[in-house]
Amino acid sequence: MNVNKTMLGLYEAHAQLENLAAELQVQPTQNSQMAGEELKREVEKLGRQLTQIEGVLGDNDLAIVATLAAAFNENPPRFIGVDMGGVKR
């Protein structure tokens, strides 16, 4: 698991949702405007949660690295190849 890539993806989704909320707020129908306001409130909550998650990850980066390393050691990637040691030249 790439924590940085995951967080970047979450922040990108957050930005896209912010843009959608802004677009909905300027639509001519009242339903769209209400949906935009509600989405804006929820996206603000998501932003605060992302900040908290990033803080937790930053405070515990050594524990996260150790956990990911342990998981990697339990399930190392498999390499399929040909053993060329026995090939005569």
Side-chain angles (χ1 to χ4, degrees), residues 6-25:
T6 301
M7 288 304 297
L8 178 62
L10 290 170
Y11 277 113
E12 288 173 349
H14 177 263
Q16 291 172 351
L17 289 170
E18 279 183 322
N19 291 337
L20 177 59
E23 288 178 28
L24 285 170
Q25 288 174 317

Side-chain angles (χ1 to χ4, degrees), residues 8-84:
L8 178 62
L10 290 170
Y11 277 113
E12 288 173 349
H14 177 263
Q16 291 172 351
L17 289 170
E18 279 183 322
N19 291 337
L20 177 59
E23 288 178 28
L24 285 170
Q25 288 174 317
V26 297
Q27 294 299 313
T29 64
Q30 187 176 5
N31 286 342
S32 295
Q33 293 170 358
M34 289 173 38
E37 287 295 326
E38 185 174 354
L39 183 57
K40 180 182 175 184
R41 286 190 299 273
E42 295 302 320
V43 169
E44 287 173 355
K45 291 177 192 176
L46 176 61
R48 288 190 296 272
Q49 290 175 330
L50 287 174
T51 302
Q52 291 174 342
I53 290 170
E54 192 170 25
V56 168
L57 293 174
D59 292 344
N60 298 294
D61 56 349
L62 292 178
I64 292 167
V65 169
T67 301
L68 292 174
F72 180 79
N73 289 334
E74 289 176 11
N75 298 310
R78 296 180 186 196
F79 295 100
I80 299 173
V82 177
D83 181 7
M84 299 301 286

